[in-house]
Amino acid sequence: MLTNFLDHTRYPESLIDSPATGPQSRIFAGAGAKVDVSTGVGLSNSDPIHWLNALQSFHGNGNMPIEKLQELDNAIGILRLEKYIDNSISSEEQTGIKSLVRDCYYWLRPLFPVSFRKYLQRMALRGWDSKAFPAWPVDFTTEKLMDAIWRQLLNAQTPKELPFIWFWPEGQSSCCIMTHDVETALGRDFCGTMMQIEKRHGIYSAFEVVPEQRYEVPEEFLQGIRDNGCEVCLHGLNHDGHLFTSKAVFSERAKKINAYAEKWRAVGFRSPVMYRNLSWLPELRFSYDMSVPNMAHLDPQHGGCCTVMPYFIGDLLELPLTTTQDYSLFHILQQRSLDLWKKQIAMIQQRYGLVSFIVHPDYVTEKWASELYNDLLAYLSELRSSQGMWIALPRDVADWWKARRQMKLVQQGGAWKIEGPQAERARIAYASLGANGVQFRVEKAQPIAVAR
Ligand SMILES: [Zn+2]
């Protein structure tokens, strides 16, 4: 019952009324569509935005029966697992012309001059800016659905504030992870310089390394990353674009990837080119994954999880990519400033979310680019001191979310208390209704109330 909402907020299950008797409605009919909200079946791939808007607003402010709340909760699951878009390999689009183009592109890519590759990519992405869903430059549909559930719970209950466990340790306001996919030998050899730049700002990062074919991976290189307080992650097996071509290929490669992870003591994974099939991912034995974009208009594989918060795919924690990749910023949008990144950071902070970056060592070797990267780090470091943003290694963020998932809010002598591993780092927070909708306040820390 309300699994996604409860998992996300750690709201005490005991405060939710038991479901009404009678069969639960699983079919949502509205906005011209009939959708099975437990599977997403019936949802038109082309335009889920009307369906979602209808879900968020339906039944207005009145008390909603529990089965209607369940529909909102199911919609969260559909978005986060990208069930609203057919990304499966068996879909016609992937096996048809698109995958042919993709294969040709991969085979011929080394032969094309860089400028022609960029031209091809821009052509392939034509029309991205006219897509209404997911929303550019950050999509918050999942957060809005969570808010809709809070609203209903707050309307239905006498207390004006409802407790939950705050998203980040020590009551920090938001979180940031810096990650680097290492694409070529050039990028590998620039990692040391990047770590030096980061050290100046007290920021530590994760490096996603390709184990086979692309470049040599000497043990000293990996140890150098660890010795600098940074983290080694796996970036596919050989980065040939075929990891998700078929279940057989994936399973075969997953075994090898798992073996490398064990050897390298790596607990984090990112799929090359953000290609993904979320139902296969649990075959990879990692603590967390970083292969799902919040919205993917500028990526070869479209979709997106429409959230700026970590979430679980089984036992695997997903840390979604919530900002535009450096390559897309520099070469598709053709911008050499921090403007878009700053805008995305501000939007995500308003939702107390995870700000996550991919900056490729390969693409910031030029002076202007490494200076821009340095400016970004200075900006993040400033946010850490002025706004309480938690800048952490992805593995530490995953550890926290896994501990938080074991925590429980319990009532003791009329007051709420958090029990479970690392409970001393956790803070009780309260949701209430303000003039501008749902707002949060964190106990024993600077009260945070942002209107939206
Ligand atoms: Zn890559």
Side-chain angles (χ1 to χ4, degrees):
M1 191 177 61
L2 303 190
T3 324
N4 296 315
F5 177 80
L6 293 175
D7 207 30
H8 178 66
T9 59
R10 313 304 300 145
Y11 178 70
E13 201 172 345
S14 58
L15 293 184
I16 293 180
D17 292 338
S18 51
T21 47
Q24 288 199 5
S25 151
R26 286 171 58 225
I27 305 295
F28 172 72
K34 266 192 181 172
V35 179
D36 183 328
V37 286
S38 55
T39 61
V41 168
L43 191 59
S44 148
N45 281 349
S46 55
D47 197 7
I49 194 165
H50 299 303
W51 174 71
L52 288 162
N53 282 341
L55 260 184
Q56 284 171 66
S57 60
F58 91 120
H59 284 236
N61 289 321
N63 284 358
M64 198 186 268
I66 191 75
E67 64 266 25
K68 294 294 176 193
L69 277 184
Q70 189 61 50
E71 294 186 13
L72 292 171
D73 193 74
N74 290 342
I76 290 168
I78 290 170
L79 292 178
R80 295 196 304 197
L81 299 178
E82 298 187 292
K83 287 181 183 169
Y84 66 92
I85 189 164
D86 191 356
N87 265 335
S88 65
I89 282 312
S90 58
S91 80
E92 221 175 300
E93 194 179 49
Q94 293 280 346
T95 48
I97 198 83
K98 250 196 170 171
S99 90
L100 198 72
V101 170
R102 195 174 71 184
D103 282 1
C104 288
Y105 176 72
Y106 248 94
W107 284 110
L108 300 176
R109 192 164 75 155
L111 307 175
F112 295 156
V114 174
S115 57
F116 184 57
R117 271 155 53 184
K118 289 175 190 168
Y119 168 77
L120 280 185
Q121 283 163 341
R122 281 201 293 272
M123 291 307 284
L125 292 169
R126 249 179 332 175
W128 70 270
D129 47 356
S130 59
K131 282 188 188 141
F133 182 83
W136 168 263
V138 188
D139 190 280
F140 296 102
T141 312
T142 298
E143 280 70 38
K144 289 176 188 167
L145 288 167
M146 294 279 184
D147 276 1
I149 297 179
W150 275 125
R151 258 198 315 275
Q152 295 303 326
L153 293 174
L154 284 159
N155 277 328
Q157 313 242 354
T158 352
K160 289 289 163 239
E161 285 196 317
L162 294 176
F164 67 105
I165 300 176
W166 186 243
F167 307 114
W168 308 109
E170 289 92 27
Q172 291 167 105
S173 63
S174 57
C175 179
C176 174
I177 56 172
M178 178 58 68
T179 76
H180 311 293
D181 295 355
V182 183
E183 305 293 305
T184 64
L186 176 77
R188 179 199 62 193
D189 297 341
F190 198 65
C191 291
T193 310
M194 290 194 90
M195 288 189 280
Q196 280 170 16
I197 301 174
E198 289 168 356
K199 228 169 211 176
R200 274 186 240 148
H201 302 281
I203 290 175
Y204 300 89
S205 58
F207 290 83
E208 290 74 58
V209 180
V210 184
E212 291 185 1
Q213 290 177 27
R214 280 247 160 159
Y215 41 78
E216 291 295 312
V217 185
E219 179 51 35
E220 310 84 72
F221 167 66
L222 300 176
Q223 196 52 41
I225 294 174
R226 297 183 199 113
D227 290 347
N228 272 294
C230 292
E231 183 178 353
V232 175
C233 297
L234 263 286
H235 190 38
L237 182 67
N238 57 16
H239 212 303
D240 66 354
H242 290 290
L243 181 57
F244 290 92
T245 301
S246 74
K247 185 67 172 42
V249 168
F250 177 78
S251 296
E252 187 58 37
R253 292 183 178 194
K255 281 185 214 146
K256 292 184 186 168
I257 290 171
N258 288 335
Y260 278 110
E262 207 176 309
K263 193 171 145 203
W264 292 359
R265 288 168 278 144
V267 295
F269 179 80
R270 176 174 293 126
S271 174
V273 205
M274 308 290 276
Y275 287 145
R276 60 204 178 273
N277 180 327
L278 300 194
S279 50
W280 299 351
L281 270 189
E283 269 188 47
L284 296 172
R285 288 196 303 271
F286 286 90
S287 167
Y288 68 91
D289 172 73
M290 303 187 285
S291 310
V292 188
N294 166 273
M295 52 92 72
H297 294 345
L298 298 179
D299 294 319
Q301 182 172 329
H302 289 169
C305 57
C306 309
T307 181
V308 291
M309 284 291 181
Y311 60 97
F312 285 93
I313 305 172
D315 289 330
L316 188 72
L317 183 73
E318 182 58 43
L319 298 173
L321 178 66
T322 57
T323 66
T324 303
Q325 294 193 40
D326 58 347
Y327 183 88
S328 306
L329 183 69
F330 302 158
H331 301 300
I332 296 172
L333 301 174
Q334 298 178 295
Q335 291 180 22
R336 289 186 175 190
S337 80
L338 295 182
D339 295 352
L340 176 60
W341 277 340
K342 283 185 176 174
K343 186 179 176 182
Q344 290 174 321
I345 293 168
M347 292 172 79
I348 298 164
Q349 279 192 304
Q350 279 235 323
R351 292 276 178 178
Y352 322 105
L354 172 74
V355 179
S356 55
F357 287 98
I358 302 181
V359 176
H360 297 77
D362 314 77
Y363 306 144
V364 292
T365 54
E366 283 183 57
K367 191 162 175 283
W368 69 266
S370 63
E371 281 172 5
L372 193 69
Y373 182 52
N374 182 64
D375 292 348
L376 173 65
L377 295 170
Y379 185 68
L380 293 172
S381 168
E382 159 61 23
L383 292 177
R384 171 167 54 193
S385 32
S386 67
Q387 316 234 340
M389 175 192 261
W390 183 38
I391 308 179
L393 288 178
R395 69 168 180 231
D396 294 336
V397 179
D399 273 357
W400 161 254
W401 276 79
K402 290 189 169 192
R404 182 177 175 271
R405 199 185 203 192
Q406 305 299 316
M407 293 178 200
K408 257 192 167 147
L409 267 175
V410 290
Q411 233 162 355
Q412 231 177 37
W416 290 104
K417 192 179 158 252
I418 301 171
E419 278 183 1
Q422 300 189 39
E424 69 289 348
R425 299 180 70 200
R427 298 286 183 273
I428 299 173
Y430 291 91
S432 62
L433 283 176
N436 296 303
V438 179
Q439 60 187 25
F440 301 140
R441 144 181 107 77
V442 186
E443 216 176 47
K444 286 192 234 155
Q446 203 62 18
I448 302 169
V450 175
R452 48 174 188 261

